[in-house]
């Protein structure tokens, strides 16, 4: 109920977060929050608003991604809510399941620019297509690493699955039985 007054979600936008788009977004944010700036700005997904700058590179180009993050996303935040947090949702590259398991954050498109930008990142993926459980990996820039979590939807809500009883060795043999 509290979110009705403070959560503003836009429909799918058909615009780039270029100079013109950033000005339009800033005006819309100010209109939606006339009394106080928002606490969080969320861009979901980056691909839909991505502007790689004058060269028009894709979000897979690290220099273009860094340009977008600094010159578009941070600039927008500085205009409307300098103290706000930023949440960015981004697609991943097509990697094998094993590559994602070995280093999940390499799956991010434009990974090195993104990883140098954020203070914490999360990757959610399904390690086994036969099961609905996902693995949630969290990367923190300032703090100790966190163990991956196993999560699944239960009754419409995400819940953490316990590791108790999880098979550690011969998983393939256990799955066949």
């Amino acid at each position: 109920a509290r979110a009705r007054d403070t959560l503003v979600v836009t429909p799918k936008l058909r615009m780039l977060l270029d100079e013109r788009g950033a000005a339009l977004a800033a005006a819309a944010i100010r209109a939606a929050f006339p009394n106080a700036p928002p606490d969080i700005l969320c861009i979901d997904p980056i691909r839909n608003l991505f502007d790689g700058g004058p060269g028009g590179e894709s979000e897979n180009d690290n220099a273009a991604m860094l340009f977008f993050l600094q010159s578009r996303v941070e600039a927008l935040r500085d205009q409307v809510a300098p103290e706000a947090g930023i949440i960015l949702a981004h697609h991943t590259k097509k990697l094998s399941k094993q590559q994602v398991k070995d280093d999940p954050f390499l799956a991010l498109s434009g990974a090195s620019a993104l990883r140098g930008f954020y203070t914490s990142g999360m990757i959610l993926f399904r390690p086994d297509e036969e099961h609905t459980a996902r693995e949630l990996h969290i990367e923190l820039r300032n703090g100790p690493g966190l163990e991956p979590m196993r999560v699944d939807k239960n009754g419409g809500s995400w819940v953490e699955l316990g590791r108790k009883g999880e098979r550690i060795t011969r998983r393939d043999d256990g799955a066949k039985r």
Side-chain angles (χ1 to χ4, degrees):
R2 291 186 348 211
R4 268 182 286 194
D5 299 327
T6 59
L7 177 66
V8 176
V9 179
T10 61
K12 185 174 182 179
L13 300 175
R14 303 253 187 247
M15 67 175 247
L16 291 178
L17 196 59
D18 54 12
E19 285 184 42
R20 182 176 175 273
L24 292 170
I29 292 167
R30 285 188 199 102
F33 296 91
N35 300 324
D39 293 323
I40 299 171
L41 299 175
C42 180
I43 296 175
D44 180 9
I46 291 173
R47 175 174 288 150
N48 290 2
L49 298 173
F50 185 80
D51 168 46
E57 289 87 359
S58 77
E59 71 270 8
N60 294 319
D61 181 275
N62 280 317
M65 179 60 76
L66 191 57
F67 172 85
F68 176 74
L69 295 170
Q70 292 175 334
S71 300
R72 304 301 190 224
V73 176
E74 281 187 335
L76 175 62
R77 177 187 54 193
D78 291 345
Q79 288 180 46
V80 297
E83 301 296 319
I86 299 173
I87 297 174
L88 301 171
H90 193 45
H91 296 357
T92 56
K93 299 182 240 182
K94 296 193 184 316
L95 297 177
S96 72
K97 292 283 183 191
Q98 188 59 48
Q99 288 173 306
V100 176
K101 285 179 186 178
D102 290 345
D103 190 349
F105 291 92
L106 287 180
L108 288 173
S109 296
S112 65
L114 276 171
R115 288 177 89 177
F117 181 77
Y118 62 68
T119 54
S120 62
M122 293 189 292
I123 295 271
L124 181 69
F125 71 97
R126 184 184 302 186
D128 184 349
E129 294 299 324
E130 301 289 321
H131 298 95
T132 59
R134 308 313 201 267
E135 279 193 17
L136 177 64
H137 290 256
I138 301 168
E139 182 174 65
L140 302 174
R141 174 170 305 186
N142 303 313
L146 300 175
E147 288 296 316
M149 296 169 52
R150 290 183 59 241
V151 296
D152 203 353
K153 277 211 169 171
N154 184 356
S157 298
W158 287 102
V159 295
E160 183 175 2
L161 302 175
R163 299 250 183 214
K164 185 176 181 179
E166 180 181 336
R167 192 176 187 109
I168 296 173
T169 60
R170 296 185 177 181
R171 289 181 184 175
D172 292 339
D173 290 341
K176 291 177 187 174
R177 295 175 190 191

